[in-house]
Amino acid sequence: MPENKLALCPATPNCVSSDSPEKSHAVAPLLLTSLGLNCWDRIRETILSLPRTKIVLDHEDHLQAECRSAWAGFVDDLELEFRRAEGIVAVRSASRTGYHDLGVNRRRVEKLRALLQKNGLVES
């Protein structure tokens, strides 16, 4: 098993992660349909299509994006790690501030999953 590079979720209920051992924070990783050469590029493009989202750190198999809320401009962090050997993309979404997120981070991950499914990149 590769070393976990995703940040851990805090104890607050405003974070989800496919690497979380805690059920309240757990979300399924993105199970890829193919490991084609441009799959990571297509995932990156899909992330950039999310409203008010910009990629702030982009490495070969790891990226971090900032997602701003439409209301008040709160910033959440979206983090993805391409784990080619496992055929998955690990994912984490977390609020930078506050305690509750009203489910925003979980919905963001599931919206991303749905977009990637629509584009044939991840399994349903």
Side-chain angles (χ1 to χ4, degrees):
M1 178 116 175
E3 181 182 328
N4 174 9
K5 292 183 185 175
L6 297 182
L8 297 174
C9 281
T12 55
N14 59 2
C15 176
V16 295
S17 174
S18 59
D19 286 346
S20 179
E22 296 178 29
K23 190 173 183 175
S24 63
H25 293 293
V27 66
L30 305 172
L31 184 57
L32 299 169
T33 57
S34 168
L35 296 176
L37 293 175
N38 67 346
C39 122
W40 187 238
D41 292 333
R42 291 177 62 203
I43 290 170
R44 187 182 294 110
E45 290 169 12
T46 304
I47 291 167
L48 289 172
S49 77
L50 296 172
R52 299 170 306 280
T53 301
K54 69 176 182 174
I55 294 175
V56 295
L57 182 66
D58 190 354
H59 292 291
E60 182 178 330
D61 62 354
H62 190 99
L63 67 83
Q64 293 178 345
E66 292 179 346
C67 308
R68 291 200 176 270
S69 67
W71 182 78
F74 292 116
V75 178
D76 294 343
D77 294 305
L78 178 63
E79 187 177 8
L80 285 88
E81 182 178 64
F82 185 23
R83 297 180 182 166
R84 185 177 297 271
E86 296 174 62
I88 66 168
V89 173
V91 62
R92 177 187 184 271
S93 185
S95 301
R96 284 190 184 171
T97 60
Y99 186 78
H100 288 289
D101 69 350
L102 304 174
V104 168
N105 288 293
R106 187 171 299 278
R107 285 193 303 276
R108 176 180 296 114
V109 170
E110 295 310 324
K111 178 180 180 177
L112 177 60
R113 184 186 316 279
L115 288 170
L116 293 172
Q117 286 171 345
K118 182 179 176 184
N119 293 328
L121 294 169
V122 301
E123 294 184 15
S124 46

